[in-house]
Amino acid sequence: MKTRYTALLLSLIGLNASAQHNRAQRDSTKVIDEISITAQAKRKIQTDMKMAVSVDEFLASADNISFIKRGAYAWEPLLNNMSMERSTVTIDGMHIFGACTDKMDPVTSYVESNNLTAVDITSGQEGNMHGATVAGSIDLKRKSTPFGLDRKWNGAYQTGFEGNNRQFFNLGNLAYSSDKFVADGSISFRKAGNYHDGNSNEVNHSQYSKLNTSLGLAYKTGALSSVRVDAIYDKANDVGFPALPMDLWLSRAIITSAAYKQLFEDGLLKVLDTKLYFNAIEHYMDDTKRPENLVHMDMPGWSTTYGLVSRANLKRGAYSAEIQLNLYNNLSIAEMTMYPQDRSKKTMFAYSWPWVTARFAGLSVNNTWNISDISRLNIGGSLGWNYNHSKYVEFNWIFHPGTPQEKNRALPSLHASYQLNFRQLDLSVGTGYGHRAPSVSEGYGYYIYNSFDRYDYIGNPDLENEISYEVNASAGFKGERIAVEAKANYFHIENYIVGRILSLGSPMNYQSVGVKGYTSLQYARLFNMALNASYDILQHLHWKGTITYARATDNKNGNLPFIRPLSYQSSLHFMHRNIGIRTSVNGDFAQDNYSPEYGEDHTPAYIVWNIAADYTFKIGHYRAALQVGAENLFNEYYSTYADWGNIPRMGRNVFSSLKFNF
Amino acid sequence: MNNIFSFFTALFCFTVLSCTKEKTDYQAETDPAVIEHHEFKEAYSIHSGGYRISIEALNGMFYKGYNELRLKIMDSRTNQEADVSAVTFLPIVAHADGRNASCPHLYDLLRRNGENHFSGYAVFTEESDNDTKWELYIGFTANGQSYGITQEVAVHEQANKNRNMTTFTGKDGQQYFIALIAPQRPKVGENELVAGIYRYDRPGNSPSGSFPDPTQYSYTAVNGFTLQLDPRMPEPSMGNHSSPNNNDLTQEDDGLYHGIVNYTMTGNWTLNFILLNHQGQILKGTVVPDDFTPGVEGVKSELHIDILF
């Protein structure tokens, strides 16, 4: 069940794609495309409604991604209704870990839509290529211009304005391509004020501003080999989190890599791609702008990761395989310094991440046999070693006296799937088994305040591995004008890690009501389902609809939190000549299966209408597109099941964007 | 292109090599200004009757609170250890108004096997000043003859709050003393908490003999008591924060009371106590509320010691 969205940007690559494919295999990038890209649905980084979207908005358009939202920025992606620590989120296979204990900086907040070309979302154990996972993997693909394009210089510029929160953005990217040398550069600025909810009330502390820039340089060292260095620099400051008792003052990330790629024309081995990487993140919270905070607290966090990812592609006849080696070392540090009301008195200090090292080494293999023209078998597995070390283990000893400072874990994973394409029918069944290690917070976190259930969370270094057993299936039908697809998966997860109220200990954070410790449920069960359909009503009029449903319970049949209720989306797209008109409606049914134990309350149903129109035109040789539209047209006041602290979502938002390609 | 490249290289170097805010120096954070004393140094040296009496204390100084002492008695001529016995020790404080008092101490100093000194302790209850003078009365027997000497000593302020002490009258009408002995320098996490608990033995007779009459100034280290412990951060911003996995203090073979205290973070802490006698009756102390009360200064037990860590 591989839901892979590969999107070539409308800009340079997209426009040149056809030209490329007509040419003979004259450059290495072409060959790589042939080998690594299997059946993929190509999607641009834009949604059904908007052509200029943030990475979060783009991800939100995938069936199996939902978001916990703490404001207008840095949404936490949930894959298969499972939280961030259950999926691996990587950038081109590079592991990056946020530096905020309160998940205010998921990896997806450190990239921008104009330096990505695609996002690969792989569900369940099939996502183990980049390391141990339960929910699956999200790999953000960096933009990488091929060698030897006909046009040496390509670029795009995009600007836009969103009325509700006065967001103004400018995104630009430029690429140079010759036979030997390629350079990709991008820069983007976004600045937004507070947004307004459906009652037209301002949601305070929801502003943000972000700068993202990237540079990639590639050089062809031989007919079949190339080196590439890449860097992304991202800086966000003055970011409000209305659902949290604090904001972000500054976060910065530098993400770098150097890669060497070698292609082979003969033999079993086709591609060898090895990359060394380093990334560093710093994250500083700010609680001084909240008058309700009587206590000032500094909470800086740092996360530094270096690693190696090496991938080999094998192919012979009907057999192909992908082998990947992942090595990384991460150091996570988070501090709490509390200031007494009498500032002359001594400050109070503790580590919320006491210099925790996470080291991982793993080898993943995925084999594919094309058994016949209509059927295909996938079998894969991985074995990983996970090592944790807590430098200031005395913090962990307070709740877990005598726990070892170091911990080694073996993380095996297996998966198999069978696909059948028979005429207009697509069928697939799959199964998987895999372990994951607890995250830094789950293992070693110390008094991490969760403003959702208002508890301080304590990690437990002795947690067992979470073990997932998974089955999945999909069935699809493609007719001339109609297409229907149903997908479902079921996870039975042993030692499911959750926070449970501790009878001992008392809260440390000012707004907290108690202490929860991470413990393992005996098991939890999750079921996800999505139904997609599309229908071409007329030549220029297309309809698309999606229904998703999920249900998750613990071993006592209690509800798990942040599980999406029955939700739906339906959109109509009319396209004629240079004009496109889109309208969509989406909503959730009421969240009846909520979990009071984890701080949830009943969330009522909502429905939101959107409409947009775009116009494509040419200025000289340059292609341009203009779009205007409105989200939440009827200014519905709502908040979803995953809005932290029930903060209301954005009310009516009139947006406009303009894009040039040159 | 070169310009862009150098710009990015510079940016890279800048961002990799520098963090916007420095990380906290944890070592410095947990090293309070107080200096930890481990070494016994000579505090006073007295010559009397052909003997030299050397009094040693940690850092060569006496402080308010618990002081471990070592006494060495040497023959002045040979400078060899003298063969002495029945070494006694009695600290007396003289106030300007003429009142005399003592403090918890070990009267009959101990000679342990393999040691070249006599051991004892004193829990000084007051610092020396113009109106408060401490004197040590030391007695010993050598060659069948009794010697008695007096030495005025200075008792300094104890800057380390982790060696704090408290004195109170229990519900049984007796006067008690609790003095913290260890840890001198607490750390985040688990600390073995050691305290001495003493009672003043009210004399049954009137003073007799020459001053001072030891029976008037008798103190005992109490046996079989329990000191219940509830550590909390009193700072209003901490909302009565406490820590888990603490153990009450009970007596061990050394006569002192040992327990476990966990400090979850650095800062001001209050050790709230309830003292139970050997029959389990409360002598002093109140249960403190355990609810989280942000913005309110933590309620302390009527028996408590503040420490700073």
Side-chain angles (χ1 to χ4, degrees):
Chain A
M1 190 166 116
K2 202 157 213 175
T3 43
R4 240 187 179 186
Y5 296 93
T6 291
L8 299 176
L9 264 192
L10 183 64
S11 65
L12 44 145
I13 305 173
L15 290 177
N16 287 287
S18 53
Q20 239 187 93
H21 283 269
N22 294 337
R23 274 202 302 272
Q25 298 190 358
R26 54 167 267 208
D27 67 63
S28 55
T29 315
K30 175 71 178 101
V31 180
I32 294 161
D33 286 349
E34 285 293 296
I35 291 166
S36 66
I37 299 177
T38 48
Q40 290 179 356
K42 288 206 166 72
R43 269 182 70 177
K44 292 155 190 155
I45 295 217
Q46 64 180 53
T47 64
D48 284 343
M49 278 309 298
K50 281 167 102 173
M51 65 177 200
V53 291
S54 67
V55 176
D56 288 345
E57 284 175 312
F58 174 68
L59 278 171
S61 67
D63 299 338
N64 47 5
I65 300 266
S66 49
F67 279 100
I68 293 179
K69 296 174 185 173
R70 297 170 174 86
Y73 186 79
W75 300 342
E76 178 192 347
L78 307 181
L79 175 56
N80 284 323
N81 284 292
M82 287 186 250
S83 61
M84 220 159 60
E85 46 279 298
R86 291 193 173 86
S87 44
T88 56
V89 185
T90 50
I91 299 177
D92 275 342
M94 299 187 285
H95 285 263
I96 298 173
F97 299 90
C100 176
T101 52
D102 290 343
K103 298 185 182 175
M104 284 156 72
D105 68 336
V107 175
T108 43
S109 71
Y110 291 114
V111 288
E112 181 54 90
S113 50
N114 73 334
N115 60 32
L116 294 183
T117 135
V119 179
D120 277 7
I121 302 165
T122 316
S123 171
Q125 293 305 323
E126 286 191 20
N128 70 19
M129 222 56 208
H130 301 301
T133 181
V134 164
S137 73
I138 301 173
D139 190 36
L140 306 156
K141 294 278 184 208
R142 276 276 283 126
K143 189 178 281 183
S144 157
T145 303
F147 287 104
L149 290 182
D150 286 343
R151 288 173 56 184
K152 280 197 171 349
W153 289 94
N154 286 289
Y157 167 71
Q158 199 168 196
T159 182
F161 181 77
E162 305 212 347
N164 186 294
N165 58 351
R166 299 183 311 284
Q167 186 197 160
F168 190 59
F169 61 86
N170 281 288
L171 316 172
N173 46 278
L174 193 64
Y176 171 83
S177 168
S178 71
D179 286 342
K180 278 276 177 199
F181 178 75
V182 163
D184 287 299
S186 78
I187 189 157
S188 76
F189 300 93
R190 282 179 194 270
K191 190 166 172 60
N194 288 335
Y195 69 81
H196 295 75
D197 64 24
N199 294 333
S200 301
N201 292 321
E202 187 168 339
V203 177
N204 284 325
H205 311 290
S206 59
Q207 80 289 351
Y208 60 86
S209 80
K210 174 186 170 91
L211 158 73
N212 182 288
T213 177
S214 71
L215 182 71
L217 303 171
Y219 181 74
K220 215 163 166 176
T221 46
L224 293 171
S225 65
S226 65
V227 289
R228 184 176 171 93
V229 289
D230 249 306
I232 299 176
Y233 172 74
D234 187 277
K235 178 182 153 191
N237 59 353
D238 189 26
V239 177
F241 285 84
L244 300 179
M246 71 294 226
D247 303 307
L248 170 71
W249 166 60
L250 173 72
S251 77
R252 295 199 305 173
I254 178 93
I255 299 161
T256 60
S257 63
Y260 179 76
K261 186 182 277 185
Q262 174 74 52
L263 307 178
F264 302 91
E265 280 180 310
D266 310 312
L268 183 64
L269 182 64
K270 298 294 180 198
V271 184
L272 196 61
D273 188 354
T274 301
K275 177 159 38 188
L276 286 166
Y277 60 92
F278 170 86
N279 57 70
I281 293 178
E282 53 176 357
H283 189 277
Y284 306 106
M285 294 187 229
D286 174 19
D287 61 5
T288 57
K289 290 182 182 142
R290 305 300 186 91
E292 69 267 28
N293 284 335
L294 299 177
V295 181
H296 169 49
M297 194 167 156
D298 277 341
M299 285 168 285
W302 297 271
S303 166
T304 312
T305 312
Y306 56 87
L308 176 138
V309 51
S310 186
R311 183 174 59 91
N313 287 70
L314 313 177
K315 188 167 169 62
R316 174 163 290 163
Y319 166 80
S320 64
E322 203 177 343
I323 302 170
Q324 187 163 313
L325 174 71
N326 293 291
L327 304 171
Y328 67 78
N329 183 86
N330 168 262
L331 176 64
S332 293
I333 304 167
E335 299 180 350
M336 292 188 273
T337 303
M338 299 192 188
Y339 292 86
Q341 279 162 341
D342 176 358
R343 290 290 172 92
S344 63
K345 287 193 187 161
K346 193 175 181 300
T347 56
M348 294 155 276
F349 177 83
Y351 282 114
S352 33
W353 283 338
W355 290 61
V356 184
T357 301
R359 208 167 279 163
F360 179 83
L363 191 68
S364 309
V365 184
N366 186 25
N367 305 289
T368 306
W369 284 275
N370 290 315
I371 301 169
S372 67
D373 286 347
I374 58 161
S375 67
R376 187 154 71 153
L377 182 67
N378 265 304
I379 293 181
S382 79
L383 185 62
W385 164 74
N386 187 86
Y387 164 86
N388 282 119
H389 177 267
S390 169
K391 185 174 175 191
Y392 299 112
V393 70
E394 56 263 38
F395 288 94
N396 308 115
W397 281 342
I398 286 173
F399 283 88
H400 301 281
T403 196
Q405 191 170 16
E406 299 176 306
K407 183 100 183 164
N408 288 290
R409 296 167 189 272
L411 306 173
S413 157
L414 284 171
H415 66 87
S417 69
Y418 178 76
Q419 285 162 298
L420 190 67
N421 306 81
F422 184 66
R423 294 188 180 165
Q424 290 170 308
L425 280 176
D426 284 337
L427 294 171
S428 87
V429 287
T431 182
Y433 159 83
H435 288 226
R436 79 158 176 111
S439 69
V440 168
S441 287
E442 289 168 340
Y444 299 90
Y446 186 69
Y447 284 103
I448 294 175
Y449 178 59
N450 176 331
S451 61
F452 192 79
D453 57 10
R454 301 187 60 199
Y455 275 85
D456 282 343
Y457 276 68
I458 309 287
N460 177 359
D462 304 320
L463 285 173
E464 299 286 330
N465 291 347
E466 227 173 58
I467 304 169
S468 163
Y469 300 87
E470 165 204 344
V471 287
N472 56 64
S474 75
F477 171 81
K478 267 198 193 83
E480 203 132 292
R481 290 167 68 182
I482 190 165
V484 186
E485 191 191 23
K487 292 179 288 187
N489 60 36
Y490 175 78
F491 294 86
H492 176 96
I493 302 170
E494 284 177 11
N495 308 324
Y496 193 83
I497 299 171
V498 294
R500 273 281 164 85
I501 296 171
L502 287 180
S503 54
L504 62 161
S506 71
M508 180 182 282
N509 289 290
Y510 197 76
Q511 303 186 348
S512 172
V513 295
V515 180
K516 279 190 177 180
Y518 281 107
T519 54
S520 298
L521 294 178
Q522 200 188 341
Y523 62 84
R525 291 168 299 186
L526 288 98
F527 173 74
N528 295 287
M529 205 202 88
L531 192 63
N532 291 297
S534 65
Y535 182 60
D536 300 335
I537 303 166
L538 300 165
Q539 190 195 347
H540 298 299
L541 186 63
H542 312 282
W543 173 83
K544 254 174 82 173
T546 302
I547 294 175
T548 67
Y549 174 74
R551 186 84 179 91
T553 52
D554 63 16
N555 54 329
K556 291 178 184 137
N557 276 329
N559 296 320
L560 292 181
F562 298 117
I563 305 301
R564 190 172 198 167
L566 189 60
S567 71
Y568 55 90
Q569 180 165 21
S570 172
S571 61
L572 267 180
H573 183 188
F574 172 78
M575 220 169 30
H576 187 60
R577 300 198 179 189
N578 295 336
I579 291 174
I581 295 171
R582 304 146 196 264
T583 179
S584 76
V585 55
N586 65 282
D588 288 353
F589 283 85
Q591 187 199 15
D592 295 320
N593 297 316
Y594 62 97
S595 166
E597 196 183 338
Y598 298 99
E600 284 191 318
D601 50 15
H602 183 261
T603 308
Y606 70 88
I607 180 164
V608 171
W609 288 81
N610 311 300
I611 190 159
D614 55 75
Y615 177 63
T616 314
F617 57 101
K618 278 197 167 185
I619 305 175
H621 291 295
Y622 304 138
R623 275 167 57 101
L626 175 71
Q627 188 183 43
V628 286
E631 292 170 306
N632 193 359
L633 190 62
F634 298 112
N635 212 16
E636 166 112 346
Y637 180 90
Y638 71 105
S639 84
T640 73
Y641 72 101
D643 285 320
W644 205 253
N646 292 333
I647 49 155
R649 299 252 34 92
M650 202 181 264
R652 184 185 303 116
N653 178 32
V654 177
F655 61 89
S656 57
S657 68
L658 178 66
K659 181 169 184 170
F660 290 102
N661 290 297
F662 48 86
Chain B
M1 191 54 64
N2 267 337
N3 284 344
I4 298 174
F5 186 72
S6 8
F7 168 73
F8 272 87
T9 313
L11 191 71
F12 173 79
C13 294
F14 176 74
T15 44
V16 167
L17 300 176
S18 67
C19 285
T20 309
K21 277 191 187 178
E22 284 306 309
K23 295 180 185 77
T24 301
D25 182 349
Y26 180 57
Q27 227 57 47
E29 193 66 31
T30 49
D31 279 1
V34 278
I35 301 144
E36 200 176 359
H37 301 306
H38 284 299
E39 204 182 330
F40 279 90
K41 290 182 191 161
E42 187 174 84
Y44 295 96
S45 176
I46 311 154
H47 289 272
S48 173
Y51 294 97
R52 187 170 79 83
I53 298 105
S54 168
I55 308 169
E56 292 183 352
L58 286 176
N59 197 37
M61 303 249 263
F62 292 132
Y63 297 97
K64 186 183 168 188
Y66 185 87
N67 293 266
E68 195 180 341
L69 309 164
R70 289 176 180 179
L71 217 72
K72 289 177 184 165
I73 301 175
M74 265 92 60
D75 192 312
S76 290
R77 285 164 304 168
T78 61
N79 219 19
Q80 294 294 307
E81 199 188 344
D83 182 17
V84 294
S85 60
V87 181
T88 61
F89 171 82
L90 176 60
I92 296 288
V93 60
H95 293 103
D97 59 9
R99 278 186 304 117
N100 285 315
S102 181
C103 65
H105 62 275
L106 190 66
Y107 182 69
D108 294 308
L109 297 188
L110 292 172
R111 176 67 190 241
R112 294 196 187 94
N113 285 336
E115 288 179 349
N116 62 351
H117 56 259
F118 292 86
S119 302
Y121 62 82
V123 181
F124 294 113
T125 49
E126 291 168 274
E127 290 151 21
S128 300
D129 60 29
N130 289 336
D131 298 334
T132 312
K133 307 264 186 241
W134 284 95
E135 283 188 315
L136 304 182
Y137 290 82
I138 295 164
F140 60 91
T141 306
N143 296 325
Q145 197 184 339
S146 299
Y147 295 85
I149 50 172
T150 311
Q151 171 70 41
E152 187 181 335
V153 295
V155 175
H156 300 272
E157 182 192 355
Q158 176 57 273
N160 185 349
K161 290 180 99 177
N162 303 296
R163 299 274 287 200
N164 221 334
M165 65 158 293
T166 183
T167 172
F168 57 93
T169 305
K171 286 191 175 143
D172 56 358
Q174 307 278 350
Q175 194 186 11
Y176 291 93
F177 303 82
I178 298 175
L180 298 181
I181 298 169
Q184 290 190 51
R185 180 189 290 176
K187 56 183 197 300
V188 163
E190 201 176 285
N191 294 270
E192 190 187 13
L193 186 66
V194 183
I197 308 177
Y198 309 95
R199 181 177 58 219
Y200 173 55
D201 302 320
R202 258 181 291 181
N205 55 325
S206 12
S208 64
S210 58
F211 180 83
D213 176 2
T215 62
Q216 304 294 309
Y217 303 108
S218 167
Y219 293 81
T220 329
V222 296
N223 289 318
F225 282 32
T226 303
L227 190 59
Q228 292 180 340
L229 171 67
D230 188 354
R232 290 190 180 266
M233 295 187 86
E235 189 61 46
S237 58
M238 293 311 298
N240 200 33
H241 174 69
S242 182
S243 62
N245 296 326
N246 303 298
N247 282 352
D248 296 340
L249 286 80
T250 53
Q251 197 175 24
E252 291 187 3
D253 291 343
D254 58 3
L256 300 174
Y257 285 78
H258 295 251
I260 300 282
V261 61
N262 279 278
Y263 295 123
T264 57
M265 68 190 307
T266 68
N268 279 296
W269 285 80
T270 298
L271 302 176
N272 293 295
F273 293 127
I274 296 174
L275 183 63
L276 306 177
N277 67 12
H278 56 284
Q279 291 165 323
Q281 292 159 329
I282 295 177
L283 294 178
K284 184 82 174 179
T286 44
V287 176
V288 290
D290 59 2
D291 40 338
F292 189 58
T293 51
V296 180
E297 172 122 15
V299 177
K300 297 178 184 181
S301 163
E302 59 176 27
L303 177 59
H304 69 263
I305 297 181
D306 289 324
I307 69 129
L308 176 69
F309 150 57

